[in-house]
Amino acid sequence: MEALALRLSGLDPYVGGAIRIVAFYDTLMRRRVDLAALARASAGLAECVTGIRLHGTGRVVRASPLGTEATGPAAAGEEGEASTAVPVTLDEEEIGVVWLERSGPPNPLDEVLLDRLALAVAAAVERYGPARTTMADPALVELAVGTGTDEAARARALRLLGFAAGAPLHVAAVRSAVPLDRVGALVCPGGLVKAAVLAGPGGGTGVLLATAMDRAAFPEGVRAGLADSAGTEPLDAAWRRARTALRFATDREPVAVHAELGALALLAEVPEAAARANPDVTALSRFAAGASPEDLETLDAYCATGSLRRAADLLHLHHSSVSRRLDHLSRSLALDLTTPTGLTRARLALTTWRLIEDTA
């Protein structure tokens, strides 16, 4: 390569210089250097301050030609400060930017240098794992959680998302009126979290993949189903559990955890035709079609508490008012809600009805 560069430089100094730059970065990439080393080497080669910024964390690395950390304000993103800048892309997604800070006009080879530096930065990010971000490429997330994904491809997708191979992950299926990146930042403020919206009925389902997840931090206006992956099973199994849990989320309990559903999760496996044909579900469907919101709220509160007085407290009503509503519900559903068997049937019918009416 050096001999070729010398011969070409005699014919065209620009071509010879470009080849030398390519060889320079090829050597750095073979040595698997990190971002700080790339910035130092590039600053020495360019003989000016060189910078690297990763969008996900806002991390900035700036080095001077002397190999030390550059002082003063970072130039990336400050119009007019960077003499030349080039975006860093990985799998067709812009993940950062690299730039030079020359005091004079750009060097003819500056773009070649930055192109190679951007490639080296992308390689380093992929090798060491990207810095923490929120929104991710939906295609990459779908590859990570998809049922038909080859496990080697799944592992690579997770690595590109920043997760270590085989590491335990928390998975959330989300329906939200709140921007998904905000939800991710709230429920996983101190760890790596990736979010994307996958296409589907009702506008799609949000996905959160995170190293930690605070179920109490989901904001109002969000329904979520949570599941964990121990890292010893394909991630698509955890994603299926998260979507199942999401179907059990309600306005009263907007966050459902699959591990806490227990035997209730079996209801999600009942074929829709069989569920609709069940007499209790059929009765509830007919009743719900003409019921007032107060009636359904009363049934929900009573099924959740199993107690007339606790339901009254939950509804902020006198227990006699709730008693009258329950009498009406019992007649409409042909169930004695005051008996353990009647209450159990009502709970199962209400849950099953919600599952078959779910369109997400």
Side-chain angles (χ1 to χ4, degrees):
M1 178 65 79
E2 291 183 1
L4 177 61
L6 286 172
R7 288 198 299 272
L8 289 174
S9 63
L11 300 174
D12 188 334
Y14 176 85
V15 173
I19 292 176
R20 287 178 182 273
I21 290 173
V22 170
F24 178 82
Y25 282 100
D26 283 349
T27 300
L28 290 178
M29 292 169 73
R30 283 196 302 271
R31 292 176 179 174
R32 305 168 72 86
V33 299
D34 60 13
L35 297 184
L38 281 172
R40 290 194 300 269
S42 299
L45 180 64
E47 298 182 338
C48 69
V49 171
T50 301
I52 301 169
R53 179 194 292 273
L54 295 181
H55 294 328
T57 56
R59 179 190 176 192
V60 175
V61 180
R62 295 171 69 234
S64 75
L66 299 177
T68 59
E69 181 180 355
T71 58
E78 298 177 10
E79 187 174 355
E81 294 290 340
S83 58
T84 314
V86 168
V88 179
T89 60
L90 183 62
D91 288 345
E92 300 182 359
E93 178 184 358
E94 184 175 327
I95 62 169
V97 63
V98 294
W99 71 93
L100 299 177
E101 301 175 30
R102 290 197 186 281
S103 56
N107 185 295
L109 290 170
D110 280 356
E111 288 193 9
V112 177
L113 186 153
L114 287 176
D115 283 340
R116 299 304 298 182
L117 174 57
L119 288 173
V121 169
V125 167
E126 183 175 10
R127 181 182 308 119
Y128 296 114
R132 180 165 55 88
T133 59
T134 302
M135 298 306 293
D137 181 357
L140 200 59
V141 174
E142 190 162 14
L143 194 63
V145 301
T147 301
T149 302
D150 173 81
E151 288 311 306
R154 193 192 311 278
R156 182 174 185 273
L158 287 171
R159 187 172 69 253
L160 291 175
L161 290 168
F163 299 107
L169 286 179
H170 300 270
V171 185
V174 179
R175 269 184 261 144
S176 175
V178 180
L180 202 55
D181 57 343
R182 181 183 164 198
V183 177
L186 288 171
V187 301
C188 186
L192 176 64
V193 59
K194 292 289 186 177
V197 178
L198 301 189
T205 301
V207 185
L208 293 179
L209 301 176
T211 54
M213 199 172 289
D214 181 2
R215 61 185 291 184
F218 280 93
E220 186 177 351
V222 175
R223 287 191 184 186
L226 310 187
D228 294 339
S229 171
T232 57
E233 62 175 356
L235 192 61
D236 60 312
W239 172 233
R240 284 195 300 273
R241 292 196 297 272
R243 284 182 294 157
T244 296
L246 175 60
R247 297 178 62 193
F248 286 86
T250 66
D251 289 340
R252 190 178 302 284
E253 296 184 9
V255 179
V257 180
H258 189 275
E260 297 174 3
L261 292 175
L264 285 176
L266 295 173
L267 293 177
E269 307 298 326
V270 176
E272 182 177 337
R276 290 189 182 278
N278 180 270
D280 288 347
V281 178
T282 300
L284 181 57
S285 296
R286 284 199 302 264
F287 172 74
S292 67
E294 291 78 11
D295 283 335
L296 291 176
E297 188 178 14
T298 300
L299 179 62
D300 177 47
Y302 184 66
C303 287
T305 62
S307 163
L308 188 153
R309 290 188 178 276
R310 288 202 297 271
D313 290 342
L314 200 60
L315 296 167
H316 304 293
L317 294 172
H318 193 274
H319 63 85
S320 61
S321 299
V322 175
S323 179
R324 286 193 297 272
R325 289 187 184 183
L326 289 178
D327 287 341
H328 172 59
L329 288 167
S330 293
R331 290 192 300 271
S332 300
L333 300 176
L335 288 173
D336 185 354
L337 297 178
T338 63
T339 67
T341 298
L343 178 58
T344 299
R345 287 172 59 184
R347 283 171 170 166
L348 291 174
L350 180 61
T351 302
T352 304
W353 173 72
R354 283 172 172 160
L355 289 174
I356 62 178
E357 292 299 317
D358 182 80
T359 57

